Amino acid sequence: MSRAFSMRLVTLWIAFGLVHLFTAVTGWLYPSQPMGDVVLVYEPWSSAALSGGAIVGVTETWVYPQLALVPMLLAKILSTPLIAVMGASGAYLIAWAVLVTVLDAIAFAALVGRSSSQPRRVAAWFWVTALLLLGPIAMYRIDAITVPLAVIGGLWLVRRPAAAAALLAIGAWIKIWPGALLLAAVVASRSRMRVLLTAAAVSAAVVVVLVAFGADTEVFGFLTEQTGRGLQIEAVAATPFLWLAIAGAARIEYSFDILTFQISAQGAGAVSAVLTPLMAVFVVVITVIGGLKASRGASFARLFPPLALSLVTTLIVVNKVGSPQFQTWLIAPVVLWLVLDRTRAAGPAVLVLALCALTCLIYPLSYDALLRAETLPVAILTLRNVVLVVLVAVGILALVRVPAHHPSTTRE
């Protein structure tokens, strides 16, 4: 290993550590409680489960897939030695930040390793920059646990497809979105049957364990729990209603059932109702396009990245929810695209970095003003949502342009 390469690697790891430290600290400093979910929701859920109380997802229906409780419990256990000094809330926040950083470090090591690959270093710098721009919301949400799982799973898809599928399936049982990478892998990989069977086996094992612990109708409650919710203010489809709110023709109201701010206006319910079936249609269409490319011999390196990014972005754009942490979902597919096809990934990477910066400007930095329907934060959110639509269009266009060859001439 050359001295120059060693210095580049050391610089990368220093940047990784500093950015995680900075992001963790800003969670304590920024307005609008960017750590709120961790300390107000995750900690009580984990405390109840460990003390013999209700177990979310098992004894009562939950908004998350059940494996999301595992990192919450782990953070609670890790926080125990700090409680006497920091109090339960402070100790839990520190334990959560440490847990996310450790998981990210494992994935970061898998990404950069001791390799001299320039695409992997570029991907690593992209990840660090995205985290810095997105701010504390990138760390203090359950979504942060799934990002390193998705990165490692994506990196392993070609050489370790079964292990990759298991990680992605576990990620999907924490927060649904890694299932989009699984779907893209089933379509694009030559090991699709191994990926599919492994993911099915992991899911079956999770269901068996849940039933053994007493879950019944709650097993898939995370799907049904979302069906009745309204249109969240940060969702792409909510953008016109925010401008109506400025004019006084719509209201922003808090839902105590879902613990989020939603739009109250004529037509908002109808828009909310149509989004989930519309999302399903988009996912099917994108998957069919990918399937046609795969059947015509498109290579994994060209097909998987735009297919994965298009599917993940669709889950954000055509969604009645628009939580800021959803932008973390975009990190993994772009990291993988930079590794596999760096030149074509440059445009999507720039768009994702812009999305991260715009999202941080909205939440937490100007969220209070957004709740008052002030013009500037609504304009920033509108721009962010426009960029999301552009990103999904760029991903689909790249997918359509993937060259197809006779299978005998392709390589992974």
Side-chain angles (χ1 to χ4, degrees), residues 319-331:
N319 200 320
K320 66 180 70 175
V321 183
S323 299
Q325 63 267 24
F326 285 7
Q327 309 312 308
T328 61
W329 303 359
L330 301 170
I331 293 174

Side-chain angles (χ1 to χ4, degrees), residues 41-94:
V41 185
Y42 302 171
E43 195 276 336
W45 281 335
S46 55
S47 293
L50 290 173
S51 62
I55 303 176
V56 286
V58 177
T59 62
E60 59 183 50
T61 304
W62 200 26
V63 293
Y64 296 134
Q66 286 82 352
L67 290 189
L69 186 59
V70 174
M72 297 177 191
L73 293 173
L74 184 56
K76 184 61 180 177
I77 294 169
L78 291 173
S79 72
T80 303
L82 299 174
I83 291 177
V85 178
M86 301 291 299
S89 297
Y92 192 82
L93 285 169
I94 291 175

